[in-house]
Amino acid sequence: METDVLVIGGSAGGILAALSAKKTYKDKKVTVVRMGERVMVPCGIPYIFGTLKDTSKNVIPDAMLTNAGIDLIIDEVLSIDRENKKVNAKKSGEISYKKLILATGSLPIVPTFIPGHDLENVFTIKKDEEYLKFVQQKINEAQDVVVIGGGFIGVEMAEQVQLLGKNVTIIEVADKLLWQAFDPEYSDMAEATLKEHGITIKTNTKVTKLIGDTKVKEVELHTGERIKADVVILAMGVKPNTKLAEAAGIKLNERGAITVDEYMRTNDPDIFAVGDCAEKKCFFTRKNVPILLASTAANEAKIAGVNVFQLRLVRENKGTISAFSTKIYNTAFAAAGLTETQAKAEGFDIVIGEFSTMDKHPGTLPNAKSVKIKLIFSRYSGVILGAQIAGGENVGEMINILSLAIQKGTTASELNTFQVATHPLLTSSPVSYPINSAALDAMSKI
Amino acid sequence: METDVLVIGGSAGGILAALSAKKTYKDKKVTVVRMGERVMVPCGIPYIFGTLKDTSKNVIPDAMLTNAGIDLIIDEVLSIDRENKKVNAKKSGEISYKKLILATGSLPIVPTFIPGHDLENVFTIKKDEEYLKFVQQKINEAQDVVVIGGGFIGVEMAEQVQLLGKNVTIIEVADKLLWQAFDPEYSDMAEATLKEHGITIKTNTKVTKLIGDTKVKEVELHTGERIKADVVILAMGVKPNTKLAEAAGIKLNERGAITVDEYMRTNDPDIFAVGDCAEKKCFFTRKNVPILLASTAANEAKIAGVNVFQLRLVRENKGTISAFSTKIYNTAFAAAGLTETQAKAEGFDIVIGEFSTMDKHPGTLPNAKSVKIKLIFSRYSGVILGAQIAGGENVGEMINILSLAIQKGTTASELNTFQVATHPLLTSSPVSYPINSAALDAMSKI
């Protein structure tokens, strides 16, 4: 079998790389090879449990690829032969390529240092539909569920499992949940929301052991306390899935991610890597960072797709800005760029702008909700470095105004006076629009 | 009485000018003088009728000003004495100022050329609370309501009055509703939504006469047709309220708006003008345009406030980008910048990018709604000139990503690859994020 562009991996990164390549090079044959019969919407996985209640409702339709004229193969790639520019697949045999894009994603971290991590009913959150169906069944049968790890996946899983009426505990080793994306005051809001709904949160807490005969029964903490657990969910982060690349001699960095340049090219000029398997650099510091987010993967996939045959744009991948959003019960939380804590740790002299108001105007309108925003600026240049918002659902797009602002090097003064569309039923008032007002707050301190 | 900064007018423009001035020049005395006891949220006015049902729920709280240390006077300014830098107010007498900011707003256009325009139960939409209470009472008593003018105020009023169970007709002289902000396909969507809810729409239609003895009874069209009307709402646009400025010899432009420079200064170096009473220039063409929107007023007010004693930033007011949003029943509509029609009329060589998808992911999630987007780019530079979106409520903030993009001269390529936060419950999928995808569509045509 022959193709012009071969993409290995069919999740967000692989799909977007293929779509961008096909849209840019219309006469080229673009092929995606992936392992699963169906692809789970990755960020939708927690919502299978309490909201969708069926993995079938969380599928990325293949029509997205096939309608665009992309070939799709369900198969497992066993090895890459770089010299002859072909891969060997389990069922299809040899597939030769002109350009290869690796989008092999990530795998959940399993804490092998915790005794009992391999007991029954101890699960990670994999992207595999059959596995998720099994986890769902076990969660439905459980009464006590312990989530280890208070990052996004942990928090979202905890909320969804609690919605099923289960007794849920989150255990986090750091002093706050969601500490990678938010400053303490926002983490506190998230924790308060979870606690209001009966979820137990134990921060500054280590798990020392999972206890049970064949099935897990209890979680032992460093304090000696034991918590009852019918199911344990390990949400301790993910690591790049790079076995295939490594075996083919493609260079990895010190974190085990595939080393890439600004066009997502690996050390092999015909092989690109995008998404969770590829190296991430921080937008602000250019340091390698372990930030694996859909926003970053999507950006990289599009860059690889557009530049796969010919460089079309200069210095494309400017690094991850860690743009992120979630919803915990009725409150949406979103962040982009550096937190105050991170900016200070990196040595930035910063100015903070803060504001809170209602997300509709007048605030007496049905479903109006309070919205709270924090912007972080470089004092010297006035340029925005980071943003955090908590409020109603429109926070999900409001953060993207700030994502763009960060990527375009926007100043506090520009953010204070930029024109925004406002409407009573859709946004805060023009008189107290959160971004404008928080920017003014910062300006008054510069 | 003496003040450092006197602001005439207490609606959005006046409030924001005062707040920005006070926040920037903390030791200066800032005073707002306005006529009404209470200020209506201007964009909230249509929602008094069908949603809030009480003008008391549509009030901008004075605490916004007083908490910021701004003085508030309820009074009518009768004249401005520029030579002695003071104004004469009805109750307060003389108030002297160092800097004066005019935020006198606009007045609804009354079509004096239509016979019967002065009959009882023929109303404009003024910002006066007592007047609005009276209109509300008459609408509540009515069965047949005719709205003349199919711009935003007309459409929003029609929707709200229909929600009360009234029989509503919109009459528009142009061939589409909302033609100033949207291209025909978006206007058609809005019209279809209104029609689905039983509103009658007559475009390409002129009103020749309002008929009745003392009270209006019928509306006569140019076709000879007569429509029953217990209440007629005139929503034919607004004009700058500049009587006070004109009497003081402040220069007006050919449209009757107060001429201002890029810092919102009039021809008097100590007098600024902001909002609907001030001249508007188009961001793209620098032509004078009659666009009176909250987004523009807010921008101008902040510029005047910050620069009122000392210029602090270079070439501030870059002109209006006409950022706008509304919600018609369950569909939100938003636009910013030039429409395709306008861009072509101005002589731009353009490329269009379009896309539609679901506004949550997977699309099987509760309340997921389809979202449709159109982006207009300059072919030569690739820079974005305009955007239109229709979809769920998150469209209200999504348009502001594009508002910022327009103001920062962002290209299709940048909009294709900029990183966005996505979340199943809050946004479209990262694989088909509307702005990224529509930008790619445009790039494939450049």
Side-chain angles (χ1 to χ4, degrees):
Chain A
M1 208 180 307
E2 274 185 20
T3 188
D4 293 318
V5 179
L6 182 65
V7 179
I8 305 180
S11 189
I15 293 171
L16 262 178
L19 283 172
S20 295
K22 187 67 190 175
K23 194 116 188 176
T24 311
Y25 307 96
K26 294 188 178 67
D27 53 343
K28 299 289 184 185
K29 184 173 172 182
V30 177
T31 306
V32 170
V33 54
R34 71 164 193 241
M35 285 166 70
E37 274 302 321
R38 299 206 289 189
V39 179
M40 291 285 96
V41 176
C43 342
I45 290 172
Y47 301 97
I48 292 169
F49 298 95
T51 303
L52 298 170
K53 298 185 176 166
D54 186 349
T55 58
S56 297
K57 289 190 178 163
N58 191 51
V59 173
I60 302 183
D62 289 342
M64 200 160 209
L65 295 172
T66 51
N67 288 350
I70 294 164
D71 291 342
L72 176 62
I73 300 173
I74 313 294
D75 204 347
E76 183 181 356
V77 174
L78 302 171
S79 63
I80 302 167
D81 175 357
R82 288 167 53 198
E83 201 172 336
N84 298 301
K85 294 178 68 171
K86 61 191 181 192
V87 305
N88 183 29
K90 201 180 247 177
K91 292 182 290 185
S92 319
E94 287 185 354
I95 308 173
S96 54
Y97 61 82
K98 293 204 178 75
K99 301 286 177 182
L100 179 65
I101 301 178
L102 300 172
T104 48
S106 56
L107 296 168
I109 292 170
V110 177
T112 48
F113 55 88
I114 299 180
H117 68 270
D118 50 0
L119 285 169
E120 283 177 35
N121 294 349
V122 177
F123 300 112
T124 54
I125 301 302
K126 297 182 193 170
K127 292 171 188 165
D128 178 291
E129 185 174 6
E130 293 310 312
Y131 181 84
L132 290 169
K133 277 185 186 168
F134 184 69
V135 176
Q136 186 183 19
Q137 184 197 321
K138 293 297 171 188
I139 287 175
N140 287 341
E141 291 165 12
Q143 191 45 47
D144 295 286
V145 176
V146 175
V147 177
I148 306 180
F152 300 119
I153 295 176
V155 166
E156 290 174 355
M157 282 300 299
E159 185 233 42
Q160 289 290 304
V161 172
Q162 188 282 323
L163 285 175
L164 296 169
K166 311 299 175 188
N167 183 26
V168 180
T169 304
I170 304 176
I171 297 168
E172 166 61 45
V173 69
D175 64 343
K176 300 282 174 190
L177 301 187
L178 304 175
W179 60 273
Q180 282 189 297
F182 293 103
D183 284 314
E185 67 273 26
Y186 283 78
S187 289
D188 288 344
M189 283 177 70
E191 289 183 21
T193 305
L194 292 162
K195 283 178 183 166
E196 263 170 40
H197 288 81
I199 292 176
T200 303
I201 298 171
K202 293 185 178 285
T203 49
N204 288 314
T205 304
K206 274 185 200 153
V207 172
T208 45
K209 203 191 287 184
L210 303 183
I211 298 164
D213 296 328
T214 52
K215 292 181 187 174
V216 71
K217 290 217 171 89
E218 287 179 307
V219 175
E220 185 189 83
L221 308 181
H222 76 280
T223 55
E225 186 189 354
R226 289 180 174 199
I227 303 170
K228 196 169 171 312
D230 303 318
V231 163
V232 169
I233 297 165
L234 301 171
M236 302 172 76
V238 295
K239 60 178 183 202
N241 178 17
T242 52
K243 220 175 121 182
L244 204 57
E246 193 175 15
I250 293 169
K251 202 178 151 198
L252 306 186
N253 74 10
E254 75 286 2
R255 294 181 184 275
I258 300 170
T259 302
V260 287
D261 69 9
E262 275 141 330
Y263 303 95
M264 310 313 299
R265 296 179 295 198
T266 67
N267 62 316
D268 182 321
D270 295 314
I271 304 184
F272 293 65
V274 303
D276 286 0
C277 67
E279 180 171 75
K280 303 286 166 270
K281 290 202 185 287
C282 172
F283 179 85
F284 306 95
T285 64
R286 306 299 302 159
K287 288 181 185 168
N288 286 354
V289 285
I291 301 288
L292 307 187
L293 285 171
S295 57
T296 313
N299 173 249
E300 295 172 352
K302 286 177 277 191
I303 290 169
V306 167
N307 294 303
V308 68
F309 279 106
Q310 185 180 35
L311 296 192
R312 299 198 159 225
L313 296 151
V314 180
R315 287 198 55 169
E316 272 265 51
N317 185 6
K318 301 185 178 68
T320 178
I321 63 154
S322 303
F324 167 82
S325 58
T326 190
K327 192 179 173 200
I328 304 173
Y329 297 100
N330 284 318
T331 306
F333 291 85
L338 300 175
T339 61
E340 179 180 355
T341 314
Q342 289 160 355
K344 284 178 177 164
E346 292 295 349
F348 282 102
D349 181 13
I350 59 169
V351 180
I352 304 289
E354 290 180 293
F355 197 72
S356 74
T357 186
M358 298 302 285
D359 72 347
K360 297 188 171 45
H361 65 287
T364 51
L365 278 163
N367 306 318
K369 217 176 136 55
S370 131
V371 56
K372 176 180 158 80
I373 188 168
K374 175 175 183 174
L375 302 180
I376 295 137
F377 295 95
S378 150
R379 185 186 298 273
Y380 179 76
S381 64
V383 163
I384 185 162
L385 300 174
Q388 293 161 64
I389 326 178
E393 289 197 353
N394 65 12
V395 161
E397 291 296 356
M398 198 188 293
I399 196 65
N400 289 330
I401 303 169
L402 295 156
S403 298
L404 181 63
I406 291 168
Q407 289 165 87
K408 291 287 284 181
T410 311
T411 63
S413 154
E414 290 174 303
L415 287 176
N416 172 230
T417 57
F418 93 105
Q419 295 165 55
V420 287
T422 57
H423 187 268
L425 306 178
L426 303 173
T427 70
S428 300
S429 158
V431 175
S432 55
Y433 186 74
I435 298 175
N436 293 158
S437 303
L440 181 62
D441 182 50
M443 284 165 74
S444 73
K445 297 177 195 163
I446 289 178
Chain B
M1 206 180 306
E2 274 185 20
T3 189
D4 293 318
V5 179
L6 182 65
V7 179
I8 305 180
S11 189
I15 293 171
L16 263 178
L19 284 172
S20 294
K22 187 69 191 175
K23 195 117 190 177
T24 310
Y25 307 95
K26 293 186 178 67
D27 54 344
K28 298 290 183 182
K29 183 172 173 184
V30 177
T31 306
V32 170
V33 55
R34 70 162 194 242
M35 285 166 69
E37 273 302 321
R38 300 206 289 190
V39 179
M40 291 285 97
V41 176
C43 342
I45 290 172
Y47 301 97
I48 293 170
F49 298 95
T51 303
L52 299 170
K53 297 186 177 167
D54 186 348
T55 58
S56 298
K57 290 189 177 163
N58 191 51
V59 173
I60 301 183
D62 288 341
M64 200 161 210
L65 294 173
T66 51
N67 287 351
I70 294 164
D71 292 340
L72 176 62
I73 301 173
I74 314 293
D75 202 347
E76 182 181 356
V77 173
L78 301 170
S79 62
I80 302 168
D81 175 358
R82 288 167 53 197
E83 202 172 335
N84 298 301
K85 295 178 70 169
K86 61 191 182 191
V87 306
N88 184 29
K90 202 181 245 177
K91 292 183 289 184
S92 320
E94 286 184 355
I95 309 173
S96 55
Y97 62 83
K98 292 204 179 75
K99 301 287 178 181
L100 179 66
I101 301 178
L102 300 172
T104 48
S106 55
L107 296 168
I109 292 170
V110 177
T112 49
F113 56 89
I114 300 180
H117 67 269
D118 49 0
L119 284 169
E120 284 178 32
N121 295 349
V122 178
F123 301 112
T124 54
I125 300 302
K126 296 181 193 171
K127 291 170 188 166
D128 177 292
E129 185 174 5
E130 294 310 311
Y131 180 85
L132 290 168
K133 277 185 186 169
F134 185 70
V135 176
Q136 187 184 19
Q137 183 195 325
K138 292 299 169 187
I139 287 175
N140 287 341
E141 291 165 13
Q143 191 45 48
D144 294 285
V145 176
V146 174
V147 177
I148 305 179
F152 299 120
I153 295 176
V155 165
E156 290 174 355
M157 283 299 299
E159 185 234 41
Q160 288 290 304
V161 172
Q162 189 281 324
L163 285 174
L164 297 170
K166 311 299 177 187
N167 183 24
V168 180
T169 304
I170 304 175
I171 297 168
E172 166 60 45
V173 69
D175 64 343
K176 299 282 175 190
L177 300 186
L178 305 175
W179 60 272
Q180 283 189 295
F182 292 103
D183 284 313
E185 67 274 26
Y186 283 78
S187 289
D188 287 345
M189 283 177 70
E191 289 184 20
T193 305
L194 292 162
K195 283 178 184 165
E196 264 170 39
H197 288 82
I199 292 176
T200 304
I201 298 170
K202 292 183 178 286
T203 49
N204 288 314
T205 302
K206 275 185 201 156
V207 172
T208 45
K209 204 193 285 184
L210 303 183
I211 298 165
D213 296 329
T214 52
K215 292 182 187 173
V216 71
K217 290 215 171 90
E218 288 179 306
V219 175
E220 186 189 83
L221 308 181
H222 77 281
T223 55
E225 187 188 352
R226 290 179 173 198
I227 302 170
K228 197 168 170 313
D230 303 318
V231 163
V232 169
I233 296 165
L234 301 171
M236 302 171 76
V238 295
K239 59 180 183 200
N241 177 18
T242 52
K243 219 174 121 183
L244 204 57
E246 193 175 16
I250 293 169
K251 203 177 149 199
L252 307 185
N253 74 9
E254 75 286 1
R255 294 180 184 275
I258 301 170
T259 302
V260 287
D261 68 9
E262 274 140 331
Y263 301 95
M264 310 314 298
R265 295 180 296 199
T266 67
N267 61 316
D268 182 322
D270 295 315
I271 304 184
F272 292 66
V274 303
D276 286 0
C277 67
E279 181 170 77
K280 302 287 166 269
K281 290 201 185 289
C282 172
F283 179 86
F284 305 96
T285 64
R286 305 300 300 160
K287 289 181 185 169
N288 286 352
V289 286
I291 301 288
L292 307 187
L293 285 172
S295 57
T296 313
N299 173 250
E300 294 172 352
K302 285 177 277 191
I303 290 169
V306 167
N307 293 302
V308 67
F309 279 106
Q310 186 179 36
L311 295 192
R312 298 197 159 225
L313 296 150
V314 180
R315 288 198 56 170
E316 272 265 51
N317 185 6
K318 300 186 177 68
T320 179
I321 63 153
S322 304
F324 167 83
S325 58
T326 191
K327 193 179 173 201
I328 305 174
Y329 297 99
N330 284 318
T331 306
F333 291 85
L338 301 175
T339 61
E340 179 180 356
T341 314
Q342 289 160 356
K344 284 179 176 163
E346 293 294 348
F348 282 101
D349 180 12
I350 59 170
V351 180
I352 303 290
E354 291 180 293
F355 196 72
S356 74
T357 185
M358 297 304 283
D359 71 346
K360 297 187 170 44
H361 65 286
T364 50
L365 278 163
N367 306 318
K369 218 176 133 57
S370 131
V371 55
K372 176 180 158 80
I373 188 167
K374 175 175 182 174
L375 302 179
I376 296 138
F377 296 94
S378 150
R379 183 186 299 273
Y380 179 76
S381 64
V383 163
I384 186 163
L385 299 174
Q388 293 162 63
I389 325 178
E393 289 198 354
N394 65 13
V395 161
E397 291 296 356
M398 198 189 293
I399 196 66
N400 289 330
I401 303 169
L402 296 156
S403 298
L404 181 63
I406 291 169
Q407 289 164 88
K408 291 287 284 180
T410 311
T411 63
S413 153
E414 289 174 304
L415 287 176
N416 173 230
T417 57
F418 92 105
Q419 295 166 55
V420 287
T422 56
H423 187 267
L425 306 177
L426 303 173
T427 70
S428 301
S429 159
V431 176
S432 55
Y433 186 73
I435 298 175
N436 293 159
S437 302
L440 181 62
D441 183 49
M443 284 165 74
S444 74
K445 298 177 193 163
I446 290 178

